[in-house]
Amino acid sequence: MQAYTVEQVAEMLSIGRDKVYYLLRTGQLKSIKIGKLRRITDQHLAAFVASLESMDEA
């Protein structure tokens, strides 16, 4: 399993850091906390992208 920082995810998705925090805050993107650090796993990222694809098909 791979875990990414908010900044890494923002770069991967070509969106801003604030947008990633918004997605986390609204529950659209899941994450884990390790102490004070927030990390987004590859499974969280895959689930988020899959949810976008299913919304696109609807």
Side-chain angles (χ1 to χ4, degrees):
M1 176 180 4
Q2 189 79 356
Y4 305 102
T5 65
V6 168
E7 289 77 11
Q8 288 172 317
V9 170
E11 191 174 316
M12 282 185 230
L13 298 176
S14 298
I15 60 176
R17 199 178 67 126
D18 289 345
K19 181 67 174 182
V20 176
Y21 280 114
Y22 170 79
L23 294 170
L24 291 168
R25 206 170 40 253
T26 58
Q28 297 175 62
L29 177 61
K30 304 289 183 203
S31 68
I32 57 173
K33 266 188 107 173
I34 305 168
K36 292 184 177 184
L37 305 174
R38 180 148 323 264
R39 294 292 182 260
I40 299 135
T41 67
D42 46 1
Q43 287 103 340
H44 293 138
L45 209 46
F48 173 68
V49 171
S51 74
L52 292 177
E53 289 172 347
S54 66
M55 285 174 43
D56 227 17
E57 294 169 0

